[in-house]
């Protein structure tokens, strides 16, 4: 079954200020994930540390089918983004449709965004602990808040 969105419905959704604010921060976060992926790939090339033997063969031989601590750090940062940003995209989209005030919603989205950016910076530059853990925790607060508000909005239908 193919689901086609009516352009008029999409235009109406984009007129929802909270949803548009969510889309803004959501797209920035997806772009950040792409940037981390590109950094990881570039580090693999620079460090000659390839995850797959066919890539190592293409770039000098099987001796380059190996791990590098800096490449692995970037890879872990990317995996952490996937584990945290994807749930935010779901929860944030649903939260946007519950009718929150724009100011409160913007604060939720901004805090999550800044927390994730700081988390990535802390991961990539190996900043002193507990910087990364604090950034992670701060970013989780708006996610938990949004999830609770969604559950409160729909609990009577469960």
């Amino acid at each position: 079954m193919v689901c086609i969105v009516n352009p008029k419905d999409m235009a109406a959704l984009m007129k929802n200020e909270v949803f548009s604010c969510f889309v803004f921060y959501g797209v920035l976060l997806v772009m950040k994930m792409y940037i981390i992926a590109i950094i990881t790939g570039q580090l693999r090339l620079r460090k000659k540390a390839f995850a797959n033997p066919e890539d190592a063969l293409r770039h000098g031989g099987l001796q380059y089918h190996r791990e590098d601590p800096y490449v692995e750090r970037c890879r872990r940062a990317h995996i952490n983004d996937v584990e945290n940003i994807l749930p935010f995209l779901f929860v944030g989209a649903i939260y946007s449709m519950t009718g929150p005030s724009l100011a409160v919603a913007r604060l939720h989205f901004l805090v999550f965004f800044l927390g994730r950016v700081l988390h990535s910076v802390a991961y990539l530059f190996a900043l002193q602990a507990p910087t990364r853990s604090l950034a992670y925790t701060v970013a989780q607060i708006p996610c938990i808040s949004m999830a609770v508000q969604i559950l409160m909005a729909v609990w009577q239908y469960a």
Side-chain angles (χ1 to χ4, degrees), residues 43-50 59-60 63-66:
L43 269 176
R44 280 195 187 284
L45 290 169
R46 195 173 78 207
K47 298 282 191 171
K48 287 190 166 264
F50 300 98
H59 293 281
Q63 70 270 25
Y64 299 119
H65 179 228
R66 61 190 176 91

Side-chain angles (χ1 to χ4, degrees), residues 17-105:
E17 292 177 328
V18 173
F19 186 75
S20 290
C21 183
F22 162 73
V23 168
F24 175 79
Y25 286 104
V27 170
L28 287 179
L29 288 162
V30 169
M31 289 173 59
K32 185 185 86 60
M33 288 174 63
Y34 283 139
I35 291 167
I36 300 292
I38 290 167
I39 290 170
T40 304
Q42 291 302 306
L43 269 176
R44 280 195 187 284
L45 290 169
R46 195 173 78 207
K47 298 282 191 171
K48 287 190 166 264
F50 300 98
N52 301 304
E54 62 273 16
D55 297 329
L57 285 170
R58 183 170 183 248
H59 293 281
L62 284 177
Q63 70 270 25
Y64 299 119
H65 179 228
R66 61 190 176 91
E67 289 185 0
D68 176 87
Y70 298 109
V71 172
E72 289 305 306
R73 177 173 286 279
C74 284
R75 192 179 66 76
R76 288 190 308 272
H78 182 72
I79 289 169
N80 193 278
D81 272 351
V82 170
E83 293 171 348
N84 288 276
I85 292 172
L86 292 180
F88 167 81
L89 294 174
F90 173 76
V91 170
I94 301 301
Y95 170 74
S96 297
M97 296 175 205
T98 64
S101 77
L102 178 59
V104 172

